Amino acid sequence: MGDPTRRGVVAAAGLLAAGAAWAGPRTISLLNVSYDPTRELYKEINAAFARYWKGKTGEVLDIRQSHGGSGKQARAVIDGLQADVVTLALAGDIDEIAARAHLLPTSWQSRLPYNSTPYTSTIVFLVRKGNPKAIRDWPDLVKPGVGVITPNPKTSGGARWAYLAAYAHGLSLGGAGPAKAYMARLFHNVPVLGAGARDATTTFAQRRIGDVLLSWENEAYLTLDEFGPHFDIVYPSSSILAEPPVALLDKNVDRHGTRLIATGYLNFLYSPLAQEIVGKHHYRPRNPAAAAKYAAALKPIPMVTIDQAFGGWKKATAVHFAEGGLFDQIYRPA
């Protein structure tokens, strides 16, 4: 007859196995903590990667997204938000995570191509339809009566890119002194600072405050997609090469058991499929074929780089955005 206890154990094991088979493959969660205007981009990339990963491994992924001003998001991760990967607006924010929370090595940018930036963007002007204030270039932003909308560079990565693009124009007027004076005049025309890029877009497009929005290029096109008849995009004579980086947070993925998936996810961003999605969402792809496909829409303009014009993010942050830095010196809230 056999041991009834053993028969019970074998039967229970059989039921558990049947239950597991009936339940299907396990679902694995991955958290991508990103900056403000990437919601739509990563929604589509996440779905594409989940399909790819399930086809390759049979595993079901639940890729969750968190969005906000890039600096604010970095502080949330430092304070304990359990991101597996971060896809933030600027390298300085990920450097802060490495330096303060020690979740990844300080050499993190060397782990992926193009200093861990799978796409680029730039800063453009979004104006009201017909451009009633005739805003065509950086000098127009400091004219009396022009309302400029931009996020707060203390909390928003996009705002820092916009600020530095404007400051680079100011330097062309004769150096640091004229640049500081130009920035003071520009921010005198800013009626309100949003926390992040999407907040600033809402202020401009839905609350109808201001005459021009200093916008991520992709965010400007998304606004046209949603409110097309009401706005125009203006490309200034020069701007800045914005390189939003991505990184895996080693301590978190090892704690969560997601290192393999997180590594695959970040590498997927460089794939032809993901690069096509990047271009579709008005970011500038690194992949040559995708870049060529979207080149007509994403206008080539002269761009300064953070290293060339500002000596890198560490120096730029200390000079412009630290407590008592140049931004604090020139900005006086209305």
Side-chain angles (χ1 to χ4, degrees):
M1 295 283 293
D3 183 350
T5 302
R6 176 177 171 77
R7 289 201 307 272
V9 170
V10 171
L15 287 171
L16 286 171
W22 178 82
R26 68 188 181 112
T27 298
I28 304 170
S29 292
L30 195 76
L31 176 59
N32 174 7
V33 171
S34 195
Y35 62 107
D36 241 351
T38 60
R39 291 169 176 83
E40 296 81 7
L41 170 68
Y42 280 110
K43 182 178 180 181
E44 187 164 351
I45 283 180
N46 292 348
F49 179 70
R51 287 192 298 270
Y52 162 79
W53 193 259
K54 184 177 181 182
K56 183 179 179 182
T57 69
E59 294 175 331
V60 176
L61 299 184
D62 173 26
I63 306 174
R64 295 170 291 126
Q65 300 172 224
S66 171
H67 298 273
S70 187
K72 186 177 180 181
Q73 292 290 81
R75 284 192 291 275
V77 171
I78 291 167
D79 291 341
L81 180 60
Q82 289 294 300
D84 297 281
V85 300
V86 287
T87 56
L88 295 178
L90 46 94
D93 287 333
I94 302 180
D95 286 338
E96 281 291 294
I97 295 171
R100 295 176 56 189
H102 309 292
L103 296 176
L104 73 169
T106 56
S107 60
W108 61 271
Q109 277 194 284
S110 66
R111 300 199 291 194
L112 288 167
Y114 302 106
N115 287 325
S116 293
T117 58
Y119 49 84
T120 68
S121 189
T122 193
I123 299 298
V124 301
F125 303 164
L126 188 69
V127 299
R128 305 207 179 275
K129 193 67 178 179
N131 197 3
K133 293 290 182 77
I135 298 164
R136 295 186 174 87
D137 210 348
W138 296 104
D140 299 319
L141 302 184
V142 299
K143 290 180 178 177
V146 172
V148 180
I149 301 301
T150 186
N152 188 338
K154 294 286 191 175
T155 56
S156 166
R160 293 192 179 193
W161 287 116
Y163 172 104
L164 292 176
Y167 190 85
H169 164 75
L171 288 173
S172 73
L173 302 177
K180 182 176 180 179
Y182 172 81
M183 296 303 288
R185 292 172 64 197
L186 190 158
F187 277 91
H188 177 75
N189 281 354
V190 176
V192 60
L193 288 176
R198 187 57 55 89
D199 184 37
T201 300
T202 298
T203 296
F204 182 73
Q206 296 184 352
R207 296 173 60 197
R208 301 192 62 79
I209 296 173
D211 303 295
V212 55
L213 173 69
L214 304 188
S215 176
W216 285 103
E217 182 178 40
N218 69 288
E219 185 80 349
Y221 278 101
L222 287 177
T223 306
L224 287 192
D225 291 344
E226 188 171 355
F227 306 103
H230 305 294
F231 303 99
D232 292 321
I233 295 174
V234 172
Y235 280 82
S237 60
S238 64
S239 193
I240 193 165
L241 179 64
E243 297 180 291
V246 304
L248 171 152
L249 301 184
D250 295 71
K251 287 189 177 179
N252 286 356
V253 297
D254 288 343
R255 185 183 302 117
H256 304 155
T258 54
R259 176 177 285 272
L260 181 63
I261 296 165
T263 301
Y265 179 75
L266 293 185
N267 280 300
F268 180 76
L269 297 178
Y270 293 86
S271 70
L273 174 57
Q275 289 286 295
E276 168 69 22
I277 296 171
V278 162
K280 174 183 171 183
H281 286 271
H282 315 294
Y283 289 88
R284 296 181 178 229
R286 293 292 197 180
N287 177 276
K293 178 176 179 178
Y294 292 99
L298 303 174
K299 180 180 175 181
I301 58 172
M303 299 183 198
V304 301
T305 70
I306 185 69
D307 291 335
Q308 162 208 350
F310 300 100
W313 274 113
K314 185 175 182 180
K315 182 177 179 181
T317 299
V319 170
H320 293 275
F321 309 119
E323 291 301 313
L326 193 63
F327 175 71
D328 285 344
Q329 296 170 35
I330 60 99
Y331 179 63
R332 297 291 179 267

